[in-house]
Structures are given as C-alpha cells and as structure tokens.
Amino acid sequence: MKNSALTRYRVMATIVGVLLVVLILIGVPLANFDGTGMWGIFPSTPEIWAAGSSAHNLGEGITEYLGVAHGWLYMIFLVTAFMLARKEKWDMGFTVVTLLCGTIPVLSFWAEHRATKRVRAAHAAAPQSAAKPAQR
C-alpha cells in the first residue's frame, strides 16, 4: 500500500538530517576553529586552521548557504511531519519528539526510522481487519 504522506516525510527527514550533519559536524568546525571567539559565547576556539584559509572559507560557505537551506527545509519538514502525524493519529508526545529530533544531528535518522516503523506496523495491521468481508 502506498503512503505518500510517509514518503514525503521520509524524503524531508533524510534531506534535513543530512544537511544538519554536514552543517554541524563539518561546516561549523571549519568556519569557527580558527582561534577566534565563537558566537559571542566562547572567548576563543582551538586554532586548527587560520582565518582566511581555504578550509575556513569552505566552512564559511557551508554555514552560510547550508544553514539557510536547512532552516527553510526544516520548516517544510515540520509541515510534512505534522501532516503525517495528523493522518496517522499520533499522540502528542510521539509527534513532538519526532518534530524536535529534526534539530539534533544523527538523532533525526533514528526518529525517521521510528516513525516509519510505526506507520508501517499500523498499516500492516489495518488491512487484515478491513480485508474480511461481512458475512450474511
């Protein structure tokens, strides 16, 4: 049985998850580990590469462009996840955890797997009860 809401959710969860991993685990370290302060929170960071180096510039590009892309795509992810939650009648706790996991690198993949498993299990059980014709 085809579930287009699940497919849309899975595609968006994967895209958002991959962008978040690249952004946080590659872009942010490349852009910020130049020995300067970071975000006004940390007075200095480890100096792994110099400011203005090709690695630093790559990190700046990743954080600038992928950061914006991730933000917009995360909004689309929220909509697709919410639409799936409504269609599948998820409880509020499961829905909130699924939505929030899109903000945590790597954990978003676990949430997508968990949601897919739940939807598929619900759909596997539904046809068995609906497939039995009424006997007269």
Side-chain angles (χ1 to χ4, degrees):
M1 181 167 138
K2 184 179 178 187
N3 187 338
S4 59
L6 178 61
T7 302
R8 285 189 300 270
Y9 164 75
R10 293 186 72 201
V11 167
M12 289 310 302
T14 301
I15 291 170
V16 167
V18 168
L19 286 180
L20 187 59
V21 166
V22 171
L23 180 65
I24 298 300
L25 301 181
I26 298 172
V28 170
L30 286 175
N32 293 296
F33 288 174
D34 58 359
T36 62
M38 188 166 66
W39 303 321
I41 299 171
F42 305 104
S44 69
T45 59
E47 186 175 350
I48 299 174
W49 29 81
S53 67
S54 59
H56 181 260
N57 291 337
L58 175 63
E60 289 288 328
I62 289 172
T63 56
E64 182 178 349
Y65 297 109
L66 282 186
V68 171
H70 171 73
W72 284 103
L73 292 169
Y74 182 69
M75 295 301 125
I76 297 169
F77 162 77
L78 288 177
V79 170
T80 60
F82 182 75
M83 289 170 55
L84 179 63
R86 298 282 297 176
K87 180 180 179 190
E88 297 296 325
K89 298 178 174 64
W90 291 347
D91 59 272
M92 183 63 79
F94 191 88
T95 302
V96 169
V97 167
T98 301
L99 296 175
L100 289 177
C101 284
T103 64
I104 303 168
V106 183
L107 194 57
S108 60
F109 299 111
W110 168 79
E112 182 272 328
H113 175 75
R114 177 176 159 248
T116 300
K117 185 176 175 181
R118 183 173 182 160
V119 169
R120 287 183 175 162
H123 285 258
Q128 293 173 355
S129 61
K132 296 178 185 176
Q135 300 278 332
R136 290 186 190 201

